[in-house]
Amino acid sequence: MPRRQLRPDQVWLIGVPLNLLLAIPCAYPVAFAMLGAQVLAGELGWGSVDPTVVDDGAGIVIGLGLVSLVFAGLVVAGLNALFASRAPQLKASRYGIAVALLIVVPDVVYWLTR
């Protein structure tokens, strides 16, 4: 039986709620990435870092967090590929940017307003 083809608007109707729901479990990997970026910027002299973060062994935590970020990215990419590949007319570049923004922006807003 051939796979059912989807229209681009159907992919958007499925993709937006799905990615907003995926933003919930991706909150901690995004937080670890933000912490890693902050420490990296501090080490390069681009910003200031709280010394207790670096002295308390943040390297291991950031490393594990970045591993979880890669895993979460693979899960998000895999779930989106399940149905986005069924829409040949879908503009993949616009959809990919929207997926990234739907995952990262709510998490960054959550962690910055917390």
Side-chain angles (χ1 to χ4, degrees), residues 51-74:
T52 58
V53 171
V54 179
D55 293 341
D56 289 341
I60 295 170
V61 174
I62 292 171
L64 293 175
L66 293 178
V67 168
S68 69
L69 182 70
V70 169
F71 178 74
L74 290 174

Side-chain angles (χ1 to χ4, degrees), residues 30-97:
V30 169
F32 285 126
M34 289 171 52
L35 179 63
Q38 180 185 12
V39 170
L40 182 64
E43 293 292 326
L44 293 175
W46 297 342
S48 61
V49 173
D50 184 13
T52 58
V53 171
V54 179
D55 293 341
D56 289 341
I60 295 170
V61 174
I62 292 171
L64 293 175
L66 293 178
V67 168
S68 69
L69 182 70
V70 169
F71 178 74
L74 290 174
V75 169
V76 167
L79 287 175
N80 279 289
L82 283 175
F83 61 89
S85 63
R86 295 183 183 194
Q89 298 89 12
L90 181 69
K91 293 196 182 342
S93 61
R94 286 191 342 184
Y95 185 73
I97 291 170

